[in-house]
Coordinates of all heavy atoms in Angstrom, one line a residue:
M1 N 15.9 -10.8 20.2 CA 14.8 -11.5 19.6 C 13.7 -10.5 19.2 O 13.1 -10.6 18.2 CB 14.3 -12.6 20.5 CG 13.2 -13.5 19.9 SD 13.9 -14.5 18.5 CE 13.9 -16.1 19.2
E2 N 13.4 -9.6 20.1 CA 12.3 -8.6 19.9 C 12.7 -7.7 18.7 O 11.8 -7.3 18.0 CB 12.1 -7.8 21.1 CG 10.9 -6.8 21.0 CD 10.7 -6.1 22.3 OE1 11.0 -6.6 23.4 OE2 10.2 -4.9 22.2
D3 N 14.0 -7.4 18.5 CA 14.4 -6.6 17.3 C 14.0 -7.2 16.0 O 13.6 -6.6 15.1 CB 15.9 -6.3 17.4 CG 16.2 -5.4 18.6 OD1 15.3 -4.7 19.0 OD2 17.4 -5.5 19.0
D4 N 14.1 -8.6 15.9 CA 13.8 -9.3 14.7 C 12.3 -9.1 14.4 O 11.9 -8.9 13.2 CB 14.1 -10.8 14.8 CG 15.6 -11.0 14.9 OD1 16.3 -10.2 14.5 OD2 16.0 -12.1 15.3
F5 N 11.4 -9.1 15.4 CA 10.0 -9.0 15.2 C 9.7 -7.6 14.7 O 8.9 -7.4 13.8 CB 9.3 -9.2 16.5 CG 7.8 -9.1 16.4 CD1 7.0 -10.0 15.7 CD2 7.2 -7.9 16.9 CE1 5.7 -9.8 15.6 CE2 5.8 -7.8 16.8 CZ 5.0 -8.7 16.1
D6 N 10.4 -6.6 15.3 CA 10.2 -5.2 14.8 C 10.6 -5.0 13.4 O 9.9 -4.3 12.6 CB 10.9 -4.2 15.7 CG 10.3 -4.1 17.1 OD1 9.2 -4.5 17.3 OD2 11.1 -3.7 18.0
F7 N 11.7 -5.7 13.0 CA 12.1 -5.6 11.6 C 11.1 -6.1 10.6 O 10.8 -5.5 9.6 CB 13.5 -6.3 11.5 CG 14.0 -6.3 10.0 CD1 14.5 -5.2 9.5 CD2 14.0 -7.5 9.3 CE1 14.9 -5.1 8.2 CE2 14.4 -7.5 8.0 CZ 14.9 -6.3 7.4
E8 N 10.5 -7.3 10.9 CA 9.6 -7.9 10.1 C 8.3 -7.0 9.9 O 7.7 -6.9 8.9 CB 9.2 -9.3 10.6 CG 10.3 -10.3 10.3 CD 9.9 -11.7 10.8 OE1 8.7 -12.0 11.0 OE2 10.9 -12.5 11.0
E9 N 7.9 -6.4 11.0 CA 6.7 -5.6 11.0 C 6.9 -4.4 10.1 O 6.0 -3.9 9.4 CB 6.4 -5.1 12.4 CG 5.6 -6.2 13.2 CD 4.3 -6.6 12.6 OE1 3.5 -5.7 12.2 OE2 4.1 -7.8 12.5
S10 N 8.2 -3.9 10.0 CA 8.5 -2.7 9.3 C 8.4 -2.9 7.8 O 8.4 -2.0 7.0 CB 9.8 -2.1 9.7 OG 10.8 -3.0 9.3
L11 N 8.4 -4.2 7.3 CA 8.3 -4.6 5.9 C 6.9 -4.3 5.4 O 6.7 -4.2 4.2 CB 8.7 -6.0 5.7 CG 10.2 -6.4 6.0 CD1 10.4 -7.9 5.8 CD2 11.1 -5.5 5.1
K12 N 5.9 -4.3 6.2 CA 4.5 -4.0 5.8 C 4.4 -2.6 5.5 O 4.8 -1.7 6.3 CB 3.5 -4.5 6.8 CG 3.5 -5.9 7.0 CD 2.4 -6.3 8.0 CE 2.4 -7.8 8.2 NZ 1.4 -8.2 9.2
P13 N 3.8 -2.2 4.3 CA 3.7 -0.8 4.0 C 2.6 -0.1 5.0 O 1.7 -0.8 5.4 CB 3.2 -0.8 2.6 CG 2.6 -2.1 2.4 CD 3.3 -3.1 3.3
E14 N 2.9 1.1 5.3 CA 2.0 1.8 6.2 C 1.3 2.9 5.4 O 0.2 3.4 5.9 CB 2.8 2.4 7.4 CG 3.4 1.4 8.3 CD 4.2 2.0 9.4 OE1 4.2 3.3 9.5 OE2 4.8 1.3 10.2
E15 N 1.8 3.3 4.3 CA 1.2 4.3 3.4 C 0.4 3.6 2.3 O 0.8 2.5 1.8 CB 2.3 5.2 2.9 CG 3.1 5.9 3.9 CD 2.2 7.0 4.7 OE1 1.4 7.6 4.0 OE2 2.4 7.1 5.9
P16 N -0.6 4.3 1.7 CA -1.3 3.7 0.5 C -0.3 3.5 -0.6 O 0.7 4.3 -0.8 CB -2.3 4.8 0.2 CG -2.5 5.5 1.5 CD -1.2 5.5 2.2
F17 N -0.6 2.5 -1.4 CA 0.3 2.3 -2.6 C -0.6 1.7 -3.7 O -1.8 1.3 -3.5 CB 1.4 1.3 -2.2 CG 0.9 0.0 -1.7 CD1 0.7 -1.1 -2.6 CD2 0.7 -0.2 -0.4 CE1 0.3 -2.4 -2.1 CE2 0.3 -1.5 0.1 CZ 0.1 -2.5 -0.8
H18 N -0.1 1.7 -4.9 CA -0.8 1.2 -6.1 C -0.2 -0.1 -6.5 O 1.0 -0.3 -6.4 CB -0.7 2.2 -7.3 CG -1.5 3.5 -7.1 ND1 -0.9 4.6 -6.5 CD2 -2.8 3.8 -7.4 CE1 -1.9 5.5 -6.4 NE2 -3.0 5.1 -7.0
I19 N -1.1 -1.0 -7.0 CA -0.7 -2.2 -7.7 C -1.5 -2.3 -9.0 O -2.5 -1.6 -9.2 CB -1.0 -3.5 -6.8 CG1 -2.5 -3.6 -6.4 CG2 -0.2 -3.5 -5.5 CD1 -2.9 -4.8 -5.7
E20 N -1.0 -3.1 -9.9 CA -1.7 -3.4 -11.2 C -2.1 -4.8 -11.2 O -1.4 -5.7 -10.9 CB -0.7 -3.1 -12.3 CG -0.5 -1.6 -12.4 CD 0.3 -1.2 -13.7 OE1 0.5 -2.1 -14.6 OE2 0.6 0.0 -13.9
V21 N -3.4 -5.0 -11.6 CA -4.0 -6.3 -11.6 C -5.0 -6.4 -12.7 O -5.6 -5.4 -13.0 CB -4.6 -6.7 -10.2 CG1 -5.8 -5.8 -9.9 CG2 -4.9 -8.2 -10.1
D22 N -5.1 -7.6 -13.3 CA -6.1 -7.8 -14.4 C -7.5 -8.1 -13.7 O -7.8 -9.2 -13.4 CB -5.7 -8.9 -15.3 CG -6.6 -9.2 -16.5 OD1 -7.6 -8.4 -16.6 OD2 -6.3 -10.1 -17.3
L23 N -8.2 -7.1 -13.5 CA -9.5 -7.2 -12.7 C -10.5 -8.0 -13.5 O -11.3 -8.8 -12.8 CB -10.1 -5.9 -12.4 CG -9.3 -5.0 -11.4 CD1 -10.0 -3.6 -11.3 CD2 -9.3 -5.7 -10.0
Y24 N -10.6 -7.9 -14.8 CA -11.7 -8.5 -15.5 C -11.2 -9.6 -16.5 O -11.9 -10.1 -17.3 CB -12.4 -7.4 -16.3 CG -12.8 -6.3 -15.4 CD1 -12.1 -5.1 -15.4 CD2 -13.9 -6.4 -14.5 CE1 -12.5 -4.0 -14.6 CE2 -14.2 -5.4 -13.7 CZ -13.6 -4.2 -13.7 OH -13.9 -3.2 -12.9
E25 N -10.0 -10.1 -16.3 CA -9.4 -11.2 -17.1 C -9.5 -10.9 -18.6 O -9.9 -11.8 -19.4 CB -10.0 -12.5 -16.7 CG -9.7 -12.9 -15.3 CD -10.2 -14.3 -14.9 OE1 -10.4 -15.1 -15.8 OE2 -10.3 -14.6 -13.7
T26 N -9.2 -9.7 -19.0 CA -9.2 -9.3 -20.4 C -7.8 -9.1 -20.9 O -7.6 -8.8 -22.1 CB -10.0 -8.0 -20.5 OG1 -9.3 -7.0 -19.8 CG2 -11.4 -8.1 -20.1
G27 N -6.8 -9.2 -20.1 CA -5.4 -8.9 -20.5 C -5.0 -7.4 -20.2 O -3.9 -7.1 -20.4
D28 N -6.0 -6.6 -19.9 CA -5.8 -5.2 -19.6 C -5.6 -5.1 -18.0 O -6.5 -5.5 -17.3 CB -6.9 -4.4 -20.0 CG -7.1 -4.3 -21.5 OD1 -6.0 -4.4 -22.2 OD2 -8.2 -4.3 -22.0
Y29 N -4.5 -4.5 -17.6 CA -4.3 -4.3 -16.2 C -4.8 -3.0 -15.7 O -4.6 -2.0 -16.4 CB -2.8 -4.5 -15.9 CG -2.3 -5.9 -15.9 CD1 -2.1 -6.6 -17.1 CD2 -2.2 -6.6 -14.8 CE1 -1.8 -7.9 -17.1 CE2 -1.8 -7.9 -14.7 CZ -1.6 -8.6 -16.0 OH -1.2 -9.9 -16.0
S30 N -5.4 -3.0 -14.6 CA -6.0 -1.8 -14.0 C -5.1 -1.5 -12.8 O -4.6 -2.3 -12.1 CB -7.4 -2.0 -13.5 OG -8.2 -2.4 -14.5
R31 N -4.9 -0.2 -12.6 CA -4.1 0.3 -11.4 C -5.1 0.6 -10.3 O -6.1 1.3 -10.5 CB -3.4 1.6 -11.8 CG -2.5 2.1 -10.8 CD -1.7 3.2 -11.3 NE -1.1 3.9 -10.2 CZ 0.1 4.4 -10.3 NH1 0.8 4.4 -11.4 NH2 0.6 5.0 -9.2
V32 N -5.0 -0.1 -9.2 CA -5.8 0.0 -8.0 C -5.0 0.6 -6.8 O -3.8 0.3 -6.7 CB -6.6 -1.3 -7.6 CG1 -7.4 -1.8 -8.8 CG2 -5.6 -2.4 -7.2
L33 N -5.7 1.3 -6.0 CA -5.1 1.8 -4.8 C -5.3 0.9 -3.6 O -6.5 0.4 -3.4 CB -5.7 3.2 -4.5 CG -5.3 3.9 -3.2 CD1 -3.8 4.3 -3.3 CD2 -6.1 5.1 -2.9
V34 N -4.3 0.6 -2.9 CA -4.3 -0.3 -1.7 C -4.1 0.6 -0.5 O -3.0 1.2 -0.4 CB -3.4 -1.4 -1.8 CG1 -3.4 -2.3 -0.6 CG2 -3.6 -2.2 -3.1
V35 N -5.0 0.6 0.4 CA -4.8 1.4 1.6 C -4.7 0.5 2.8 O -5.7 -0.2 3.2 CB -6.0 2.4 1.9 CG1 -5.8 3.2 3.1 CG2 -6.3 3.2 0.6
P36 N -3.5 0.3 3.4 CA -3.3 -0.5 4.6 C -3.9 0.1 5.8 O -3.9 1.3 6.0 CB -1.8 -0.6 4.7 CG -1.2 0.0 3.5 CD -2.2 0.9 2.9
C37 N -4.6 -0.7 6.5 CA -5.3 -0.3 7.7 C -5.2 -1.4 8.8 O -5.9 -2.3 8.7 CB -6.8 0.1 7.4 SG -7.7 0.8 8.8
D38 N -4.2 -1.2 9.7 CA -3.9 -2.3 10.6 C -3.6 -3.6 9.9 O -2.6 -3.6 9.1 CB -5.0 -2.5 11.6 CG -5.1 -1.3 12.6 OD1 -4.1 -0.7 12.9 OD2 -6.3 -1.0 13.0
L39 N -4.3 -4.6 10.0 CA -4.1 -5.9 9.4 C -5.0 -6.1 8.2 O -5.1 -7.2 7.6 CB -4.3 -7.0 10.4 CG -3.3 -7.0 11.6 CD1 -3.7 -8.1 12.5 CD2 -1.9 -7.1 11.1
K40 N -5.6 -5.0 7.7 CA -6.6 -5.1 6.6 C -6.0 -4.2 5.5 O -5.2 -3.3 5.7 CB -7.9 -4.7 7.0 CG -8.6 -5.5 8.1 CD -9.9 -5.0 8.5 CE -10.4 -5.8 9.7 NZ -11.7 -5.4 10.1
Y41 N -6.6 -4.5 4.3 CA -6.2 -3.7 3.1 C -7.5 -3.3 2.4 O -8.2 -4.2 2.0 CB -5.3 -4.5 2.1 CG -3.9 -4.9 2.7 CD1 -3.8 -6.0 3.5 CD2 -2.9 -4.0 2.6 CE1 -2.6 -6.4 4.0 CE2 -1.6 -4.4 3.1 CZ -1.5 -5.5 3.8 OH -0.3 -5.8 4.4
I42 N -7.7 -2.0 2.2 CA -8.8 -1.5 1.5 C -8.4 -1.3 0.1 O -7.4 -0.6 -0.2 CB -9.3 -0.2 2.1 CG1 -9.7 -0.4 3.6 CG2 -10.5 0.4 1.4 CD1 -9.8 0.8 4.4
I43 N -9.2 -1.9 -0.9 CA -8.9 -1.9 -2.3 C -9.9 -0.9 -3.0 O -11.1 -1.1 -2.9 CB -9.0 -3.3 -2.9 CG1 -8.3 -4.3 -2.1 CG2 -8.5 -3.2 -4.4 CD1 -6.8 -4.1 -2.0
V44 N -9.3 0.1 -3.7 CA -10.1 1.1 -4.4 C -9.7 1.1 -5.8 O -8.5 1.2 -6.2 CB -9.9 2.5 -3.7 CG1 -10.7 3.5 -4.4 CG2 -10.2 2.4 -2.2
S45 N -10.7 1.1 -6.8 CA -10.4 1.3 -8.2 C -11.2 2.5 -8.7 O -12.4 2.6 -8.6 CB -10.9 0.1 -9.0 OG -10.7 0.3 -10.3
G46 N -10.4 3.5 -9.1 CA -11.1 4.8 -9.5 C -11.7 5.4 -8.2 O -11.0 5.6 -7.2
D47 N -13.0 5.7 -8.2 CA -13.7 6.2 -7.0 C -14.5 5.1 -6.4 O -15.3 5.4 -5.5 CB -14.6 7.4 -7.4 CG -13.8 8.6 -7.9 OD1 -12.6 8.7 -7.4 OD2 -14.3 9.3 -8.7
E48 N -14.3 3.8 -6.7 CA -15.1 2.8 -6.3 C -14.4 1.9 -5.3 O -13.3 1.4 -5.5 CB -15.6 1.9 -7.4 CG -16.4 0.7 -7.1 CD -16.8 -0.1 -8.3 OE1 -16.4 0.2 -9.4 OE2 -17.5 -1.1 -8.0
H49 N -15.0 1.6 -4.1 CA -14.4 0.7 -3.1 C -14.7 -0.7 -3.6 O -15.9 -1.1 -3.8 CB -15.1 0.9 -1.8 CG -14.7 -0.1 -0.7 ND1 -15.6 -1.1 -0.4 CD2 -13.6 -0.3 0.0 CE1 -15.0 -1.8 0.5 NE2 -13.8 -1.4 0.8
L50 N -13.7 -1.5 -3.9 CA -13.9 -2.8 -4.4 C -14.1 -3.8 -3.3 O -15.0 -4.7 -3.4 CB -12.7 -3.3 -5.3 CG -12.5 -2.6 -6.6 CD1 -11.3 -3.1 -7.3 CD2 -13.7 -2.7 -7.5
C51 N -13.2 -3.8 -2.3 CA -13.3 -4.7 -1.2 C -12.4 -4.3 -0.1 O -11.6 -3.5 -0.3 CB -13.1 -6.2 -1.7 SG -11.4 -6.4 -2.2
T52 N -12.5 -5.1 1.0 CA -11.5 -5.0 2.1 C -11.0 -6.4 2.3 O -11.7 -7.4 2.4 CB -12.1 -4.5 3.4 OG1 -12.6 -3.2 3.1 CG2 -11.1 -4.4 4.5
L53 N -9.6 -6.6 2.2 CA -9.0 -7.9 2.4 C -8.2 -8.0 3.7 O -7.7 -7.0 4.2 CB -8.0 -8.1 1.2 CG -8.6 -8.1 -0.2 CD1 -7.5 -8.4 -1.2 CD2 -9.7 -9.1 -0.4
S54 N -8.1 -9.2 4.2 CA -7.3 -9.5 5.3 C -6.7 -10.8 5.1 O -7.1 -11.6 4.2 CB -8.0 -9.4 6.6 OG -9.0 -10.4 6.7
K55 N -5.6 -11.2 5.8 CA -5.0 -12.4 5.6 C -5.0 -13.2 6.9 O -4.6 -12.7 8.0 CB -3.6 -12.3 5.1 CG -2.9 -13.5 4.6 CD -1.7 -13.3 3.9 CE -1.2 -14.6 3.3 NZ 0.1 -14.5 2.7
S56 N -5.5 -14.5 6.9 CA -5.7 -15.2 8.1 C -4.6 -16.2 8.4 O -4.5 -16.7 9.5 CB -7.0 -16.0 8.0 OG -7.0 -16.9 6.9
C57 N -3.7 -16.4 7.4 CA -2.5 -17.3 7.6 C -1.5 -17.0 6.5 O -1.7 -16.0 5.7 CB -2.9 -18.8 7.6 SG -3.4 -19.4 6.0
D58 N -0.4 -17.7 6.4 CA 0.7 -17.4 5.5 C 0.5 -18.0 4.1 O 1.2 -17.6 3.2 CB 2.0 -17.8 6.1 CG 2.5 -17.0 7.2 OD1 2.1 -15.8 7.3 OD2 3.3 -17.5 8.1
A59 N -0.4 -18.9 3.9 CA -0.6 -19.5 2.6 C -1.4 -18.5 1.7 O -2.1 -17.6 2.2 CB -1.4 -20.8 2.7
M60 N -1.2 -18.7 0.4 CA -1.8 -17.7 -0.6 C -3.4 -17.8 -0.5 O -4.0 -16.8 -0.7 CB -1.4 -18.1 -2.0 CG -1.9 -17.1 -3.0 SD -1.5 -15.4 -2.5 CE 0.0 -15.1 -3.3
E61 N -3.9 -18.9 -0.3 CA -5.4 -19.0 -0.2 C -6.0 -18.5 1.1 O -7.2 -18.6 1.3 CB -5.9 -20.5 -0.5 CG -5.3 -21.5 0.5 CD -3.9 -22.0 0.1 OE1 -3.4 -21.7 -0.9 OE2 -3.4 -22.8 0.9
C62 N -5.2 -17.9 1.9 CA -5.7 -17.4 3.2 C -6.2 -15.9 3.1 O -6.5 -15.4 4.1 CB -4.6 -17.5 4.3 SG -4.2 -19.2 4.7
W63 N -6.2 -15.3 1.9 CA -6.7 -14.0 1.8 C -8.2 -14.1 1.9 O -8.9 -14.9 1.2 CB -6.3 -13.4 0.5 CG -4.9 -12.9 0.5 CD1 -3.8 -13.6 0.1 CD2 -4.4 -11.7 1.0 NE1 -2.6 -12.8 0.3 CE2 -3.0 -11.7 0.8 CE3 -5.0 -10.6 1.6 CZ2 -2.2 -10.6 1.3 CZ3 -4.2 -9.5 2.0 CH2 -2.9 -9.5 1.8
V64 N -8.8 -13.2 2.7 CA -10.2 -13.2 3.0 C -10.8 -11.9 2.7 O -10.3 -10.9 3.0 CB -10.5 -13.5 4.5 CG1 -11.9 -13.5 4.9 CG2 -9.8 -14.8 5.0
Q65 N -11.9 -11.9 2.0 CA -12.6 -10.7 1.6 C -13.6 -10.4 2.7 O -14.6 -11.2 2.9 CB -13.4 -11.0 0.3 CG -14.1 -9.8 -0.3 CD -14.6 -10.1 -1.7 OE1 -15.0 -9.1 -2.3 NE2 -14.7 -11.3 -2.1
E66 N -13.4 -9.3 3.4 CA -14.3 -9.0 4.5 C -15.6 -8.2 4.0 O -16.6 -8.3 4.7 CB -13.5 -8.1 5.5 CG -12.4 -9.0 6.1 CD -11.8 -8.3 7.3 OE1 -12.3 -7.3 7.8 OE2 -10.9 -8.9 7.9
D67 N -15.4 -7.5 3.0 CA -16.6 -6.9 2.4 C -16.3 -6.7 0.9 O -15.2 -6.8 0.4 CB -17.0 -5.6 3.0 CG -15.9 -4.5 2.9 OD1 -14.9 -4.7 2.2 OD2 -16.1 -3.5 3.6
G68 N -17.3 -6.6 0.1 CA -17.2 -6.6 -1.4 C -17.8 -7.9 -1.9 O -18.1 -8.8 -1.2
N69 N -17.8 -8.0 -3.2 CA -18.4 -9.2 -3.9 C -17.5 -9.7 -5.0 O -18.0 -10.0 -6.1 CB -19.8 -8.9 -4.3 CG -19.9 -7.7 -5.2 OD1 -19.0 -7.1 -5.6 ND2 -21.1 -7.4 -5.6
L70 N -16.2 -9.7 -4.8 CA -15.3 -10.2 -5.8 C -15.2 -11.7 -5.8 O -15.4 -12.3 -4.7 CB -13.9 -9.6 -5.6 CG -13.8 -8.1 -5.6 CD1 -12.3 -7.6 -5.4 CD2 -14.3 -7.5 -7.0
E71 N -14.9 -12.3 -6.9 CA -14.7 -13.7 -7.0 C -13.4 -14.1 -6.3 O -12.5 -13.4 -6.2 CB -14.7 -14.2 -8.4 CG -15.9 -14.0 -9.2 CD -15.9 -14.4 -10.6 OE1 -14.9 -15.2 -11.0 OE2 -16.7 -14.1 -11.4
D72 N -13.4 -15.4 -5.8 CA -12.3 -15.8 -5.0 C -11.0 -15.8 -5.8 O -9.9 -15.4 -5.2 CB -12.5 -17.3 -4.5 CG -13.6 -17.4 -3.5 OD1 -13.9 -16.3 -2.8 OD2 -14.1 -18.5 -3.3
E73 N -11.0 -16.0 -7.1 CA -9.8 -16.0 -7.9 C -9.2 -14.6 -7.9 O -8.0 -14.4 -7.9 CB -10.1 -16.5 -9.3 CG -8.9 -16.6 -10.2 CD -9.3 -17.2 -11.5 OE1 -9.8 -18.3 -11.6 OE2 -9.0 -16.4 -12.5
L74 N -10.1 -13.6 -8.0 CA -9.6 -12.2 -8.1 C -9.1 -11.8 -6.7 O -8.1 -11.1 -6.6 CB -10.7 -11.3 -8.5 CG -10.4 -9.8 -8.7 CD1 -9.1 -9.6 -9.6 CD2 -11.6 -9.0 -9.2
V75 N -9.7 -12.3 -5.6 CA -9.2 -12.0 -4.3 C -7.7 -12.5 -4.2 O -6.9 -11.9 -3.6 CB -10.1 -12.6 -3.2 CG1 -9.5 -12.5 -1.8 CG2 -11.5 -11.9 -3.2
E76 N -7.5 -13.8 -4.7 CA -6.2 -14.3 -4.6 C -5.2 -13.5 -5.4 O -4.0 -13.3 -5.0 CB -6.2 -15.8 -5.1 CG -6.9 -16.7 -4.1 CD -6.9 -18.2 -4.5 OE1 -6.0 -18.5 -5.4 OE2 -7.7 -18.9 -4.0
K77 N -5.6 -13.0 -6.6 CA -4.7 -12.2 -7.5 C -4.4 -10.9 -6.7 O -3.2 -10.5 -6.7 CB -5.4 -11.8 -8.8 CG -5.5 -13.0 -9.8 CD -6.1 -12.4 -11.1 CE -6.2 -13.5 -12.1 NZ -6.8 -13.0 -13.3
L78 N -5.3 -10.3 -6.1 CA -5.1 -9.1 -5.4 C -4.1 -9.3 -4.2 O -3.2 -8.6 -4.0 CB -6.4 -8.4 -4.9 CG -7.3 -7.8 -5.9 CD1 -8.7 -7.5 -5.4 CD2 -6.6 -6.5 -6.4
G79 N -4.4 -10.4 -3.5 CA -3.5 -10.8 -2.4 C -2.1 -11.0 -2.8 O -1.1 -10.6 -2.2
Q80 N -1.9 -11.7 -4.0 CA -0.6 -12.0 -4.5 C 0.1 -10.7 -4.9 O 1.3 -10.5 -4.6 CB -0.7 -12.9 -5.7 CG 0.6 -13.4 -6.3 CD 0.5 -14.3 -7.4 OE1 -0.6 -14.4 -8.0 NE2 1.5 -15.1 -7.7
A81 N -0.6 -9.8 -5.5 CA 0.0 -8.5 -5.9 C 0.4 -7.7 -4.6 O 1.4 -7.0 -4.6 CB -1.0 -7.7 -6.7
I82 N -0.5 -7.7 -3.6 CA -0.1 -7.0 -2.3 C 1.1 -7.6 -1.7 O 2.0 -6.9 -1.3 CB -1.3 -7.1 -1.3 CG1 -2.4 -6.2 -1.9 CG2 -0.9 -6.6 0.0 CD1 -3.7 -6.4 -1.1
E83 N 1.2 -9.0 -1.7 CA 2.4 -9.6 -1.1 C 3.6 -9.3 -2.0 O 4.7 -9.1 -1.4 CB 2.2 -11.1 -1.1 CG 1.3 -11.5 0.1 CD 1.1 -13.0 0.2 OE1 1.6 -13.8 -0.6 OE2 0.5 -13.4 1.2
S84 N 3.5 -9.3 -3.3 CA 4.7 -9.0 -4.1 C 5.2 -7.5 -3.9 O 6.4 -7.2 -4.0 CB 4.5 -9.3 -5.5 OG 3.5 -8.4 -6.1
F85 N 4.3 -6.6 -3.6 CA 4.6 -5.2 -3.3 C 5.4 -5.2 -1.9 O 6.3 -4.4 -1.8 CB 3.4 -4.4 -3.2 CG 3.8 -2.9 -3.0 CD1 4.1 -2.1 -4.0 CD2 3.8 -2.4 -1.7 CE1 4.4 -0.7 -3.8 CE2 4.1 -1.1 -1.4 CZ 4.4 -0.3 -2.5
N86 N 5.0 -6.0 -1.0 CA 5.6 -6.0 0.4 C 7.0 -6.5 0.4 O 7.7 -6.3 1.3 CB 4.7 -6.8 1.3 CG 3.5 -6.1 1.7 OD1 3.3 -5.0 1.5 ND2 2.5 -6.9 2.1
V87 N 7.4 -7.2 -0.7 CA 8.8 -7.9 -0.6 C 9.8 -6.8 -0.9 O 9.7 -5.9 -1.4 CB 8.8 -9.0 -1.7 CG1 10.2 -9.5 -1.8 CG2 7.9 -10.1 -1.3

């Protein structure tokens, strides 16, 4: 049983990775850097820290912005992109 838990944990990325997301709803996708840090994800675009996200439950609307000032809809898009990378 413990081996199953270890396997699921290994699916989470431990190294920084890039995702593409339409940050400004213009149809143009921006490549952002996602830096996993324990149970949080630091989101960076260019040289700018956009926000830090964490997830409080398994539903899509459970992505929480711990710092930053992004709209909730964008937080959900970023969360969805992070989850699709993890699969």
Side-chain angles (χ1 to χ4, degrees):
M1 187 68 109
E2 187 175 329
D3 292 335
D4 291 342
F5 179 75
D6 290 340
F7 176 72
E8 288 180 18
E9 282 298 314
S10 67
L11 294 177
K12 292 183 180 182
E14 295 178 4
E15 299 292 322
F17 59 94
H18 288 92
I19 58 174
E20 291 188 3
V21 65
D22 185 0
L23 292 174
Y24 307 106
E25 296 187 20
T26 60
D28 294 324
Y29 283 77
S30 300
R31 187 174 164 140
V32 298
L33 177 66
V34 179
V35 182
C37 184
D38 292 325
L39 299 175
K40 299 178 184 182
Y41 295 89
I42 300 166
I43 312 297
V44 179
S45 177
D47 291 333
E48 179 183 0
H49 172 258
L50 293 180
C51 65
T52 301
L53 301 180
S54 64
K55 193 163 183 190
S56 59
C57 66
D58 288 334
M60 186 50 91
E61 58 274 357
C62 291
W63 283 96
V64 177
Q65 183 174 195
E66 296 195 5
D67 60 11
N69 55 1
L70 302 178
E71 295 180 15
D72 291 341
E73 184 177 302
L74 184 53
V75 169
E76 288 181 20
K77 283 183 183 180
L78 288 167
Q80 185 177 20
I82 291 169
E83 285 185 351
S84 66
F85 183 84
N86 289 337
V87 173

